[in-house]
Amino acid sequence: MKTQPIVILLAEDDEGHAQLIQRNLKRAGVANEIVRVCDGQDALDYIYCKGIYANREPQAPLLILLDINMPRIGGIEVLRTLKADPETAKVPIIMLTTTDD
């Protein structure tokens, strides 16, 4: 069985938080490709190869690091959309937040 490297999709709107996450992943020895998007709509477009990502080749497997609070479409709505779709329901998603609540 041939394995494919996991692509990490980082959906984080705050530049400082995104840099911190990427830096710490690299320090931990994670060598996987990290693709960053800045909001929930871009995350969905990347996953479904739509919008500005319409020409990209679908990549699998995928791990998503998903901020809860983002512009346009929030992380909770992205999570609901992906888990409701049989094609993406099994994609692992780690929710991120910096909120005090």
Side-chain angles (χ1 to χ4, degrees):
M1 173 184 242
K2 184 180 176 187
T3 60
Q4 293 177 310
I6 294 172
V7 173
I8 299 172
L9 177 63
L10 173 58
E12 171 60 68
D13 62 314
D14 184 280
E15 182 67 33
H17 294 158
Q19 287 179 2
L20 181 65
I21 292 164
Q22 290 173 306
R23 185 171 48 245
N24 284 317
L25 287 172
K26 294 208 183 304
R27 281 185 188 157
V30 174
N32 301 64
E33 177 184 1
I34 300 172
V35 175
R36 178 178 172 227
V37 295
C38 295
D39 63 51
Q41 183 61 60
D42 282 347
L44 291 173
D45 286 350
Y46 181 87
I47 293 161
Y48 290 115
C49 300
K50 294 183 178 181
I52 63 171
Y53 301 102
N55 292 326
R56 89 166 182 88
E57 290 292 319
Q59 295 168 311
L62 187 66
L63 167 68
I64 303 170
L65 303 179
L66 183 60
D67 185 17
I68 291 175
N69 298 312
M70 289 186 295
R72 296 203 303 165
I73 298 177
I76 298 296
E77 187 57 35
V78 172
L79 179 67
R80 282 189 188 117
T81 299
L82 296 175
K83 294 305 176 183
D85 181 348
E87 294 292 317
T88 57
K90 292 186 179 183
V91 172
I93 300 172
I94 298 171
M95 299 298 290
L96 306 172
T97 188
T98 57
T99 184
D100 291 337
D101 294 336

